[in-house]
Amino acid sequence: MADKVYHPNKECVRKAHCKSMEQYKEMHEKSIKHPEQFWGEIAKEFYWETPSIDGKFFTYNFDLNKGDIFIKWMEGASTNLSFNLLDKNVKNGHGDKVAFYWEGNNPEDYTRLTYKKLLQEVCKFANVLKSNEVSKGDRVAIYMPMIMELPIAMLACTRIGAVHSIVFAGYSSDSLAERILDSKAKVVITADGVWRGEKLLLLKTICDEALEKVKLNGHEVEKCIVVSHLRRITNCNSKVENSGKKNGVESKNNGSKPDENSIPWNEDKDVWWHEEMEDVEPSCYPVWMGAEDPLFILYTSGSTGKPKGVLHTTGGYLIYAATTFKYVFDYHPGDVYWCTADIGWITGHTYVVYGPLANGATSVLFEGTPFYPSNDRYWSIIDKYKVTQFYTAPTAIRSLMKFGDDLVKKHNLHSLRVLGSVGEPINSEAWLWFYNLVGHGKCSIADTFWQTETGGHVITPLPGATPMKPGSATFPFFGVMPELLDEDGHVIEGEGEGYLVFRKPWPGMMRTLYGNHDRFQSTYFDKFHGFYCTGDGARRDADGYLWVTGRIDDMLNVSGHLMSTAEVENVLAEHTSVAEAAVVSKPHPVKGQCLYCFITPNDKITFDQKLQDELKKKVRERIGPFAQPDVIQHAPGLPKTRSGKIMRRVLRKIAIGDRNVGDISTLADESIVDLLFQLRPQA
């Protein structure tokens, strides 16, 4: 089933920016052989205050003697990101076009913001930042929920050349403090709190705890700007609607009022966003930034436990975010696009804010969860706004599959043209459910592979061109040259499986790790000298399709047989009684390692010996006798971060019975860990 090819819908092909594999191959070849010309033509679609030196848009310096790696694009050019995303669209007659539809946690909370109003709000907040002595190069930490002020704050930073560092508003105070301290942020922007489903998170309280920890470590944040989000979405009488405008944002809100005394306040440091925005000029001349000037820092997990501050710069990131968005989602004027990712992650940076706005797109910005107030929230939003492109994570898809098909079928989803998958390899069963039920068998699925470090998609189908295979990320995007290497660094030609690396840089890739270029080089380039190492494994099939198999450290070696956890998980998840599966390795006295599987059954399915036997047989038949799991454990839920990623190190601890699981503060539900230990089979 996984090898069956699904061709793009003819109507999708007719409208597509890239209409065939022949066109794709021509464009990809040009992007590899003549990158200056290829990206130079795209760069001309944007405004540059100063063109690059001698028109050269590409510089790549890898000094083999010193071993230093420096990646530069369009060096010498200058521009401003917010000018290209906002002023340019307004000047082109799109001022009254909706930039964002905002959907709150409660379906009765919603807003919309046009490009003209967004530009005014961004300029006003840029002036607020300037009045708080933020200037070019200063770091601004942002710890906010998915509300309209978040993209406004980001774009205001770009307006004046400040470097934003967004921290997902679900991280603990320790995690927030660590990131503020590493970036030496001058100002922090947060909100009083946010509702996630029926759970209230008091973000200001968490932020204050973090700032105390930062102060104890010798750094003082000068200002904390607070959005009054809870007060804005509520009034004294719950169930009474309140329509009005706040900072130029037309809204309709409903809810219950929090206790004003529950929000801690420091008169010397804290200021309210809405008070700062009063009587502020709605215009702000942009600061022209060099193409290689820093744009943002985004922290990602490191193998040592200390987060890595991935640094992206201005010019290359702009054109890569814009180009990947245009081609991968095949965006056209009049479309309504929705990416469900939180802006606190790279997917939210590139494909909620920067990529869509660079294309003058209309997007949905969603504060809530897929399951509140009911399990059809995603489908109701697609129906409400007539969404044409829908981009979400395999974890979300598999979770929604558990509730059956009827919740999907009750909504009109015929507006959809492109579906997207992001965050991890998608198993074939989830792919087919997404394709056949949600997409009615007519939507192309963009199964995208990329990382915080890559800035944008690097391996992905194009909706009008690429024949799709369920679970395959297919082929590289323009400018990207993937290779498969064996353990000794030799290139694997044709079919095979190995380390996924990239041979050449592309405009959107990271430039360094903030304050630690040595770690940048050792982490990404030292293992295979001169190649960017993703840390993921992949295989190439006979047709040249690439299948990302997961993190190399999630590879299993059972009796000399190398396999990926993703491969086993895909087989387990194909069973009709299984909602989700996670596989880790466990030490084995004979095999070296054995498979320990965690199984979440579908609703109303009993986890019993019969199911375990069926699953073992299925793995044995699909992969081989060597792959048969030694242990299959019942898992009513899995330890997931708030972004939906499974925390596998916790599962490894459960597998060996070690209760020293380390920090689990980033889990969405910490109680699941104790439950899994209780359900652990006794030896």
Side-chain angles (χ1 to χ4, degrees):
M1 183 71 73
D3 290 327
K4 182 179 177 181
V5 175
Y6 292 77
H7 292 274
N9 178 275
K10 290 181 180 178
E11 183 61 21
C12 185
V13 173
R14 186 183 67 81
K15 292 182 62 177
H17 295 297
C18 184
K19 301 179 186 297
S20 66
M21 282 301 290
E22 290 72 24
Q23 183 184 353
Y24 159 75
K25 289 174 182 177
E26 289 175 7
M27 294 179 71
H28 186 262
E29 183 178 19
K30 181 179 178 181
S31 72
I32 296 299
K33 292 183 176 178
H34 307 288
E36 302 96 330
Q37 183 182 352
F38 181 86
W39 294 110
E41 289 173 2
I42 292 173
K44 290 173 185 174
E45 299 174 11
F46 298 95
Y47 177 80
W48 303 90
E49 177 71 3
T50 308
S52 60
I53 298 171
D54 299 326
K56 293 181 180 178
F57 282 90
F58 170 77
T59 305
Y60 176 50
N61 177 17
F62 173 50
D63 190 329
L64 289 173
N65 296 320
K66 294 183 179 179
D68 293 336
I69 293 178
F70 296 99
I71 302 157
K72 300 181 186 298
W73 287 79
M74 295 171 287
E75 192 174 23
S78 65
T79 188
N80 181 278
L81 214 72
S82 75
F83 186 89
N84 277 288
L85 273 52
L86 303 177
D87 305 62
K88 181 170 169 282
N89 280 310
V90 172
K91 289 180 179 181
N92 288 340
H94 303 308
D96 292 331
K97 183 177 181 178
V98 173
F100 288 112
Y101 291 109
W102 179 75
E103 273 282 315
N105 181 63
N106 188 317
E108 295 179 350
D109 300 338
Y110 56 83
T111 75
R112 63 176 60 189
L113 199 60
T114 65
Y115 273 88
K116 180 180 179 182
K117 186 58 68 174
L118 179 57
L119 172 59
Q120 292 175 349
E121 295 298 302
V122 166
C123 286
K124 287 173 67 177
F125 194 66
N127 287 326
V128 168
L129 290 175
K130 284 169 40 175
S131 69
N132 284 284
E133 300 184 356
V134 176
S135 59
K136 180 179 177 179
D138 287 337
R139 276 77 61 206
V140 176
I142 303 175
Y143 184 67
M144 295 174 73
M146 289 285 284
I147 56 178
M148 209 72 86
E149 284 85 356
L150 178 47
I152 289 170
M154 296 169 70
L155 292 163
C157 288
T158 70
R159 192 79 179 178
I160 63 173
V163 180
H164 64 68
S165 173
I166 301 178
V167 181
F168 171 58
Y171 269 132
S172 65
S173 60
D174 284 342
S175 298
L176 175 58
E178 189 172 33
R179 287 154 174 78
I180 293 172
L181 195 61
D182 188 76
S183 66
K184 297 293 188 288
K186 189 173 189 176
V187 167
V188 173
I189 307 168
T190 190
D192 48 7
V194 64
W195 287 95
R196 284 216 176 94
E198 296 180 331
K199 183 179 181 180
L200 175 62
L201 297 178
L202 294 175
L203 300 181
K204 178 59 166 59
T205 301
I206 298 170
C207 189
D208 281 1
E209 292 172 0
L211 293 182
E212 281 300 312
K213 293 168 184 175
V214 168
K215 187 175 180 180
L216 289 173
N217 281 277
H219 177 66
E220 184 88 27
V221 169
E222 296 179 12
K223 286 288 180 183
C224 181
I225 303 173
V226 186
V227 176
S228 180
H229 180 52
L230 293 177
R231 289 168 175 79
R232 179 180 57 202
I233 66 168
T234 62
N235 67 47
C236 295
N237 299 312
S238 116
K239 307 299 182 186
V240 177
E241 295 178 352
N242 174 31
S243 298
K245 290 189 176 181
K246 182 71 173 176
N247 294 334
V249 180
E250 187 178 330
S251 61
K252 179 181 179 181
N253 305 306
N254 184 25
S256 58
K257 190 172 183 177
D259 179 5
E260 292 186 4
N261 296 323
S262 66
I263 308 301
W265 203 254
N266 181 338
E267 292 292 345
D268 296 328
K269 184 173 296 182
D270 299 338
V271 293
W272 286 111
W273 172 295
H274 61 273
E275 292 179 356
E276 293 289 292
M277 292 283 274
E278 291 176 2
D279 303 321
V280 178
E281 282 294 319
S283 62
C284 177
Y285 191 76
V287 173
W288 302 112
M289 305 292 289
E292 284 301 316
D293 281 345
L295 175 64
F296 65 81
I297 303 165
L298 184 56
Y299 288 87
T300 187
S301 299
S303 58
T304 63
K306 179 177 172 57
K308 306 186 297 281
V310 171
L311 180 71
H312 283 284
T313 54
T314 302
Y317 177 84
L318 166 62
I319 64 170
Y320 200 73
T323 308
T324 50
F325 176 82
K326 174 182 175 179
Y327 282 94
V328 174
F329 299 112
D330 196 43
Y331 183 85
H332 296 269
D335 288 348
V336 177
Y337 161 85
W338 180 24
C339 172
T340 65
D342 193 287
I343 294 174
W345 312 112
I346 187 63
T347 302
H349 281 57
T350 306
Y351 299 117
V352 175
V353 181
Y354 291 122
L357 293 177
N359 284 273
T362 295
S363 300
V364 176
L365 187 69
F366 180 48
E367 179 189 39
T369 79
F371 316 112
Y372 182 82
S374 57
N375 295 321
D376 63 342
R377 186 72 190 278
Y378 273 5
W379 320 128
S380 68
I381 291 174
I382 292 171
D383 192 351
K384 176 179 179 179
Y385 293 105
K386 305 305 174 192
V387 171
T388 47
Q389 291 93 349
F390 177 59
Y391 193 32
T392 194
T395 297
I397 297 167
R398 288 191 294 267
S399 297
L400 292 165
M401 286 172 65
K402 289 193 299 184
F403 304 109
D405 298 353
D406 290 344
L407 288 178
V408 183
K409 291 178 179 178
K410 69 183 281 192
H411 296 281
N412 183 354
L413 308 184
H414 285 88
S415 60
L416 289 169
R417 191 174 76 249
V418 178
L419 301 173
S421 170
V422 61
E424 59 182 309
I426 183 172
N427 58 297
S428 58
E429 187 188 18
W431 193 101
L432 290 167
W433 186 85
F434 205 29
Y435 179 81
N436 289 316
L437 186 66
V438 179
H440 299 283
K442 68 180 180 66
C443 295
S444 288
I445 294 185
D447 180 4
T448 61
F449 170 76
W450 61 299
Q451 302 170 310
T452 303
E453 294 88 342
T454 72
H457 306 135
V458 284
I459 304 176
T460 177
L462 299 184
T466 312
M468 299 161 285
K469 293 186 180 184
S472 172
T474 71
F475 302 104
F477 191 71
F478 307 133
V480 177
M481 283 188 69
E483 299 278 12
L484 299 183
L485 303 182
D486 64 19
E487 189 67 44
D488 296 321
H490 300 129
V491 174
I492 299 170
E493 303 287 354
E495 288 185 75
E497 183 167 351
Y499 290 88
L500 177 61
V501 301
F502 297 111
R503 185 179 287 276
K504 294 178 68 174
W506 54 93
M509 76 182 299
M510 66 184 297
R511 299 302 193 255
T512 190
L513 294 176
Y514 183 73
N516 197 341
H517 196 69
D518 288 342
R519 189 182 184 193
F520 165 75
Q521 295 185 169
S522 63
T523 301
Y524 300 101
F525 294 93
D526 280 3
K527 183 173 180 63
F528 300 112
H529 198 53
F531 290 95
Y532 169 83
C533 185
T534 64
D536 283 287
R539 66 178 175 89
R540 187 189 296 114
D541 69 17
D543 299 321
Y545 281 67
L546 289 167
W547 304 71
V548 179
T549 54
R551 301 299 296 173
I552 292 295
D553 56 12
D554 286 336
M555 300 292 278
L556 302 168
N557 194 329
V558 179
S559 300
H561 297 279
L562 191 68
M563 72 187 91
S564 67
T565 56
E567 184 180 13
V568 182
E569 288 167 358
N570 285 346
V571 174
L572 293 169
E574 287 174 3
H575 194 288
T576 55
S577 296
V578 174
E580 195 162 23
V583 178
V584 296
S585 62
K586 179 185 177 184
H588 190 278
V590 177
K591 302 176 186 178
Q593 291 180 316
C594 68
L595 276 69
Y596 194 110
C597 307
F598 295 84
I599 298 297
T600 303
N602 284 314
D603 284 353
K604 300 178 182 178
I605 296 295
T606 302
F607 182 86
D608 54 16
Q609 190 61 48
K610 180 175 179 290
L611 176 58
Q612 294 179 58
D613 292 342
E614 289 175 0
L615 292 172
K616 288 181 179 180
K617 181 182 178 183
K618 191 174 184 68
V619 173
R620 187 170 63 246
E621 290 176 347
R622 288 289 302 276
I623 301 177
F626 63 89
Q628 177 174 305
D630 280 47
V631 183
I632 297 181
Q633 175 178 334
H634 182 209
L638 293 170
K640 295 179 182 178
T641 65
R642 295 178 182 89
S643 66
K645 289 197 174 184
I646 297 168
M647 195 175 279
R648 296 180 187 276
R649 66 170 176 80
V650 173
L651 293 180
R652 293 190 191 98
K653 292 284 191 178
I654 294 167
I656 62 175
D658 181 1
R659 286 188 171 269
N660 184 23
V661 296
D663 181 19
I664 57 172
S665 62
T666 59
L667 289 182
D669 180 11
E670 295 180 24
S671 66
I672 197 66
V673 176
D674 282 333
L675 178 59
L676 291 176
F677 271 110
Q678 293 170 26
L679 293 173
R680 183 175 177 272
Q682 298 302 311

